[in-house]
Amino acid sequence: MRLLTHNMLSSNIKGVTSGFPLRIEVEKMVEKEVELNADFLRNMFAKVEWKALVEASKTLGYTELPDNVEPSMLDSDEFLNRFHHALLELHLEEGALVCPETGRKFPVNKGIPNMLLHEDEV
Amino acid sequence: MTSRPELQAPPEIFYNDDEARKYSSSSRIIDIQAKLTERALELLALPEDDVPRLLLDIGCGSGLSGETLTENGHHWIGLDISGSMLNVALEREAEGDLILGDMGQGLGVRPGVIDGAISISAVQWLCNADRSSHEPRLRLKAFFGSLYRCLARGARAVLQVYPENLAQRELILGSAMRAGFSGGVVVDFPHSTKMRKEFLVLTCGQASLSSATPQARGEDGEGCSDDEDSSGDEENQSVSVSDRHRPKKKHKLNKKVKGREWVMEKKEKMRRKGNVVPADSKYTARKRKTRF
């Protein structure tokens, strides 16, 4: 599961108001190279929750992302590379996503998070 | 086809390891899925600027539809309730991120981040109560509500569905409208039982001029004349559904059915027909005492 997806997911449990971002517990992570597309990155830049992305990439062991960003940084290739790497090339293979409000763990196996809610959480 | 899969078992049980493998190794099914996905992408009407978008594939299964999305250069997140199907997707090295989840529980995606959503042959599963705790209406509401929220402004959702009957069609469409979507149904090859395919094309936010319901396909690949009753544009061979701003029920149409004018008109009509009609006088259509 890429950090792109992690940045879009929120805890869906009944009654939870601030289910984003989900905390990450890493057991295994991989890096998979993928082609960089500047247009896509620019498109996503506006939608990504930056703080959550920085936190998540740090949890996966990547600390090169700047804490504060401005749209002008998108012109820098160096920044785009780092952004691209964090967003699309870091994969969480085994571990869990944790709801920040209830602490409920959503296990991640083979890169697939299990977001199925129990009967009482719907 | 003996019976619909939806009537045999819940999707996470029906699509077990064997079925998942069968489904994904049938070249016919792969072909159909690819075609349906291409058509759905067409109906999604993403801007033609070669910018990869972030799409949702709802009920992505073994990634057959996702493959087409990847081929078109997009990033996608797939959701499916069957672990077996997702395992096959992993084997096929699906490029998109996969999530094991139940769309009837809500999509769990942050508001306004998705550029478009497609679903191939999945949403009709919501219409069956697979468990005693399921209430299809509530599940449809959770699904469409969360879908509406996660789509960016102006983004579309194209859902290819196999509704069992008219009641299911109305159930699905009604839930979509109530969630705030506007849009309509595009039916390709409406006259052919085998080739007939239904797509719900739903828009979020302001329906711009460019988002009129697209033209459906006929047997010859072009738009054909639709003999079925189609309320909506004459140009589009599709059923256009009004959006949620319908006049309130209280706003009854004030038709003066019982007025003098109406009665006089009716009498004239009868005379023209040749019937025997009493002469008009000052008593014609006079308000009678209530006991009448």
Side-chain angles (χ1 to χ4, degrees), chain B residues 14-38:
Chain B
F14 181 82
Y15 290 110
N16 55 23
D17 286 338
D18 277 335
E19 189 63 37
R21 206 158 293 283
K22 252 202 294 176
Y23 192 89
S24 321
S25 48
S26 156
S27 56
R28 182 179 151 265
I29 289 184
I30 293 175
D31 193 45
I32 292 178
Q33 290 278 309
K35 286 209 174 76
L36 289 175
T37 313
E38 286 286 0

Side-chain angles (χ1 to χ4, degrees), chain A residues 1-5 7-12 20 34 37 39-40 43-44 47-49 88 91 109-119 122, chain B residues 49-54 75-77 81 86-87 90 95-102 104-110 112-115 131 133 152:
Chain A
M1 183 189 72
R2 276 172 273 241
L3 291 187
L4 168 63
T5 306
N7 203 276
M8 303 293 137
L9 286 179
S10 141
S11 167
N12 213 11
F20 179 84
V34 104
N37 187 306
D39 287 324
F40 179 72
N43 182 21
M44 290 312 303
K47 300 186 184 170
V48 157
E49 248 286 334
L88 298 171
H91 289 258
N109 298 103
K110 296 191 266 193
I112 303 179
N114 181 340
M115 308 299 292
L116 288 169
L117 299 174
H118 304 308
E119 300 290 337
V122 182
Chain B
D49 52 8
D50 284 331
V51 175
R53 294 290 183 327
L54 180 60
H75 287 271
W76 53 277
I77 301 173
I81 199 175
L86 291 177
N87 279 331
L90 284 177
E95 283 288 330
D97 277 341
L98 307 167
I99 300 176
L100 177 63
D102 182 351
Q105 293 180 341
L107 295 171
V109 177
R110 230 181 356 112
V113 292
I114 301 293
D115 296 318
R131 244 168 262 173
S133 54

Side-chain angles (χ1 to χ4, degrees), chain B residues 75-92:
Chain B
H75 287 271
W76 53 277
I77 301 173
L79 179 86
D80 203 274
I81 199 175
S82 162
S84 308
M85 287 292 250
L86 291 177
N87 279 331
V88 180
L90 284 177
E91 278 174 30
R92 305 185 96 237

Side-chain angles (χ1 to χ4, degrees), chain A residues 9-35:
Chain A
L9 286 179
S10 141
S11 167
N12 213 11
I13 300 171
K14 185 168 76 174
V16 165
T17 42
S18 58
F20 179 84
L22 296 158
R23 282 200 313 272
I24 299 182
E25 283 179 11
V26 195
E27 272 161 46
K28 179 170 160 224
M29 72 83 83
V30 259
E31 287 191 22
K32 293 188 199 167
E33 227 183 272
V34 104
E35 211 185 297

Side-chain angles (χ1 to χ4, degrees), chain A residues 64-76:
Chain A
E64 307 289 320
L65 279 185
D67 285 322
N68 297 309
V69 276
E70 291 159 6
S72 58
M73 295 168 85
L74 283 171
D75 296 323
S76 137

Side-chain angles (χ1 to χ4, degrees), chain B residues 232-251:
Chain B
D233 306 334
E234 278 92 29
E235 301 145 352
N236 299 334
Q237 279 76 46
S238 57
V239 179
S240 215
V241 179
S242 64
D243 73 276
R244 56 200 277 262
H245 302 294
R246 294 189 196 107
K248 289 193 207 147
K249 271 194 179 155
K250 287 189 190 160
H251 209 71

